[in-house]
Amino acid sequence: MKRRDFLKLTGAVSAASVAPSVMALPASNKNNKVVVLVHLEGGNDGLNTLIPYTNPDYYALRPKLAIPANKVIPLDAKMGMHASLGGLKPLWDKGEMAWLQGVGYNQADRSHFRSIDIWESASSSNEYSKTGWLSQVLPQLTDGLHGIVLGQGIGPLAGSKLNAVEMENPKTFLNQAKLIQDMSYAHSNVASMKHILGVQNQLYATASELSHKLKRQIPVRARFPKTPFGHQMQSIAEMIVSGVNSPVYKAKLSGFDTHANQLQLQKNSLYHLSGVLQAFAESMKRAGLWNDVVLMTYSEFGRRAKENRSGGTDHGKASAHLVMGGSINGGRLYGKTPDLANLDNGDLAYSTDFKKVYGTLARRWWNVKNPWQAHGEIPFV
Amino acid sequence: MNPIKFSEARHLLSRTGMGVEWKVLQQLINQPFREEAVDQLIKTYSPQTPNPPRLTPLYKMDRLNKAGARGKKVMHNVMMRENDVLKKWWVKQMLITTSPFTERMTLFWHNHFTSSLASVKRPQLLLNQNKLLRQFGMGNFSAMLMYLTSDPAMLLYLDGDKNIAGSPNENFARELLELFTLGHGHYSEADVKAAALAFTGWGVNHATGKFVFREDLHDGGYKHFLGESGNLNGNDILKIILKQPRTAEHIAEKFWKSFVNLERPNPRVIRQWGKVFRESSYEISALMSEVLKSDVFWAEQNRGALIKSPIELMVGTMRTFPHRSLTTKDIMHTSRILGQDLFDPPNVKGWEGGKDWISTQSLLIRTSLQQKMSRDANIRAMARHFPKVSPDVMKQWLLPREPVLPPQHRKGELWYVQNLMFDPGYQLA
């Protein structure tokens, strides 16, 4: 007996629904424009990342932690970057990188978990949502693969409307996915079974796409630091270069929760970030894909304006974030520089809602409807 | 009365136990009728807490907590260690108990009256709460509500202890109405505020871990709540809540989602179950019996209509095939990775369950887990406990519905059972 007939007979599958044996993935992303999200885990101190190095208030708030003006990489007459980000200066100079200032949201929550949920789901402070912000954007773009998360944290790609997978790296994923069988022919009227089959098909289709594209993997022509974050970003570069069709990738760098000993910790973390991002930009340029990629950082929150007594800073509100890519209108600072003379309860007040950044990516990058239109857009791309 | 079939006994067991043990299945089939099988099942419930672990007494934790930075650090280490002790203890009970129904119900109530180790930070208090859940799990819901609302873990978890006259904290009152009793949309914001005032002064003695009522912090003023008025206190609020038909219906809806189908409940059935529950003066066993004897519970379309939680999947497999393919520690870790960290639900709503259990990540992990549990050495050991029955009966035993993948028998029984375990239907209950 043929497999199909058997299934018909057992009633597990309705005959009408027998689909081709491989789900039609990728139903290609209309414009091949990629966004790479980098989560700076812990809450990066924006004030010591993008530094108001001529502002006396800054030095008054941070007697121990302020970065001396002569160590800052000046970007304009008022703002400069932490010296550890020096490797990114050439990108800034070429107009391929920009800073977004004062990014945050109304009624900020100081819990790591809550705040990252709010960022990743684009919900408001008093609203609980478990679907990622990208589920309001990506289904407009493609019904194929939506995103790949390196490491853990499906956050911005969570939700039943998205085809997204989390993986340590593509090799391990493909190994695990070998156990996943093709179920695209099966169909069920029972909601529980329908759901499982749907998820299984997503896995199967993603694995097919990856194994197909990575069979002839094109090596990246850049040297990535041999760290977990370096490996994640290298994997992302490899997938992009090899033609894997995913509009979003996400990676994570930890170590930004600097309650104590911040000078050393943040110096190392930013240096690490800079090294990996340089390699990533290099790999994209060499593959001729830099114009098709936008990378942005995000974090739970910024940190308090005033330093604490342990040589660190505690959880705060708004922060600065960077965007980079060949199509970025870069070499510019966007948004209002936080006013250190008018703090919000000791925190940098937010002036740019993060949803404005998301909306910009939706409308100006992917050219689809902006679900957060009321917040407006930023011309960084 | 309806005579019980093999597939029905299997259905009852997979919904109310942990796994489908062949021996228990045989006992159920020996009951002439479904109704008797249900009665017998409910009788297996045990309100006692089996071998609770010994944890550091609360007064010691409190003393450490007050002993500066070093004391706090020691306390933290004790807490982290004992969190795991507590989790492993529960996993072990689920594995060895002779009344899996009790564990299943305790897990159900843990997901209703939620509290978490992460936020309460006192494993002993979570153990005490677990004892209460067991004590009342098949008892009287009004009594359960009274005890759980004044439970120290609950008061700490929902900031009830911070709710004081002049500076009310609405967290507890809101969740009481929204999640524990009436359900969203069946009360007003003013009701939340009034309830919060009525509960002011309820607190916890940190050294003894006992409930205290602090008269001086209680707002004794006049309040309006759900159409009633007076100098209402917390107990008055609970009594008013219990008069509302919605309370019983809200619990009935949770029973539907946990025991019948993960999809939206049928409102007519819910009204009926709510009525039975109320008329029994909130005897949980009356509701349970009504649910399990209802036509909708047995209906063909509701077979396999639930998705196994990580605990059900792992503990269930290990009870179905009595072989130690996973350790209690494995189960504790893997259930956390799969999204069901015992004593640590993600928030006050508890685990969403249903479709939420299966995402691309969790399905990969579940599949690898399945492979680990059914790899050669394990499945050979399991095979010693296989019943001597036909492949067809084997299939009916292990899956709630016809398999999606046609299982192959020609390569032998082990291969056949592995096939059944890898069928998507194995994830269903």
Side-chain angles (χ1 to χ4, degrees), chain A residues 6-7 10 12 130 154 164-166 173 176 179-181 183 185-186 190-193 195-196 199-200 202-203, chain B residues 262-263 304-305 307 352 355-356 358-361 363-364 367-368 371 401-406 424-425 427-428:
Chain A
F6 175 90
L7 292 165
T10 57
K130 288 204 293 185
I154 197 81
V165 294
E166 238 178 7
F173 171 77
Q176 289 179 323
L179 295 167
I180 300 290
Q181 286 153 304
M183 293 276 164
Y185 56 84
V190 183
S192 54
M193 179 64 102
H195 175 70
I196 294 179
V199 172
Q200 190 142 340
Q202 267 182 46
L203 281 173
Chain B
L262 50 76
E263 299 260 278
I307 293 178
E352 181 68 28
K355 293 181 189 174
D356 241 43
I358 306 273
S359 64
T360 50
Q361 305 57 255
L363 190 59
L364 271 186
T367 313
S368 308
Q371 195 199 29
R401 305 186 75 85
E402 276 302 323
V404 177
L405 295 169
Q427 307 290 332
L428 306 179

Side-chain angles (χ1 to χ4, degrees), chain A residues 45 66 150 187 224 227 245 366:
Chain A
D45 180 27
L150 277 291
H187 171 81
F224 282 81
T227 59
N245 205 332
W366 279 312

Side-chain angles (χ1 to χ4, degrees), chain A residues 52 79 101-102 333-340 351:
Chain A
M79 305 301 285
Q101 311 182 86
L333 302 167
Y334 293 92
K336 264 196 268 168
T337 302
D339 181 356
L340 297 184
S351 52

Side-chain angles (χ1 to χ4, degrees), chain A residues 85 95 97 103 111 126 140 152 158 198 203 220 225 234 318 321 336 343-344 361 368 379:
Chain A
L85 297 175
M97 170 180 155
V103 189
S111 147
N126 54 7
Q140 303 182 59
Q152 283 178 356
L203 281 173
V220 292
Q234 181 169 349
H321 287 289
K336 264 196 268 168
L343 294 171
D344 168 12
L361 293 175
V368 296

Side-chain angles (χ1 to χ4, degrees), chain B residues 166-368:
Chain B
S167 169
N169 183 312
E170 293 169 9
N171 194 8
F172 170 73
R174 182 178 305 280
E175 306 309 359
L176 170 70
L177 303 185
E178 178 177 337
L179 301 173
F180 302 158
T181 58
L182 298 167
H184 195 259
H186 298 278
Y187 52 87
S188 68
E189 278 301 302
D191 291 324
V192 174
K193 289 203 161 59
L197 290 180
F199 283 104
T200 48
W202 289 34
V204 178
N205 178 327
H206 287 258
T208 61
K210 297 267 189 284
F211 169 80
V212 283
F213 178 64
R214 299 161 299 179
E215 182 86 55
D216 52 324
L217 299 178
H218 176 67
D219 183 325
Y222 201 75
K223 307 164 190 86
H224 304 277
F225 178 73
L226 290 172
E228 300 200 23
S229 308
N231 301 86
L232 306 171
N233 64 26
N235 285 327
D236 297 326
I237 297 292
L238 297 179
K239 279 180 204 143
I240 298 170
I241 287 173
L242 287 166
K243 281 189 220 161
Q244 303 275 326
R246 262 310 298 172
T247 297
E249 288 170 10
H250 185 219
I251 304 299
E253 283 167 358
K254 283 213 157 171
F255 270 63
W256 175 286
K257 283 198 157 178
S258 291
F259 299 106
V260 178
N261 191 313
L262 50 76
E263 299 260 278
R264 191 180 268 286
N266 176 328
R268 191 185 49 77
V269 174
I270 293 302
R271 275 196 299 277
Q272 162 66 13
W273 291 356
K275 186 165 165 272
V276 169
F277 195 24
R278 257 188 355 271
E279 285 173 356
S280 75
S281 307
Y282 289 103
E283 284 303 327
I284 298 164
S285 56
L287 175 62
M288 189 85 241
S289 168
E290 176 74 12
V291 171
L292 297 181
K293 290 175 186 173
S294 68
D295 290 343
V296 68
F297 175 79
W298 298 99
E300 199 63 44
Q301 78 260 23
N302 286 329
R303 306 288 171 88
L306 296 178
I307 293 178
K308 287 178 185 167
S309 74
I311 287 286
E312 270 179 85
L313 180 69
M314 287 185 281
V315 174
T317 302
M318 287 180 64
R319 292 186 65 103
T320 306
F321 305 109
H323 165 64
R324 291 186 61 80
S325 50
L326 301 172
T327 63
T328 49
K329 202 171 158 192
D330 288 338
I331 296 178
M332 178 182 78
H333 284 304
T334 314
S335 62
R336 173 185 314 161
I337 296 169
L338 287 171
Q340 193 179 28
D341 197 2
L342 289 178
F343 292 108
D344 262 320
N347 55 50
V348 57
K349 281 173 87 171
W351 296 288
E352 181 68 28
K355 293 181 189 174
D356 241 43
W357 292 133
I358 306 273
S359 64
T360 50
Q361 305 57 255
S362 69
L363 190 59
L364 271 186
I365 301 165
R366 278 175 176 238
T367 313
S368 308

Side-chain angles (χ1 to χ4, degrees), chain A residues 39-54:
Chain A
H39 175 198
L40 307 179
E41 191 180 46
N44 180 36
D45 180 27
L47 197 53
N48 270 17
T49 304
L50 183 65
I51 303 160
Y53 67 99
T54 57

Side-chain angles (χ1 to χ4, degrees), chain A residues 239-256:
Chain A
M239 288 189 270
I240 296 174
V241 168
S242 304
V244 172
N245 205 332
S246 172
V248 172
Y249 295 88
K250 175 183 169 257
K252 177 157 76 183
L253 176 59
S254 309
F256 290 95

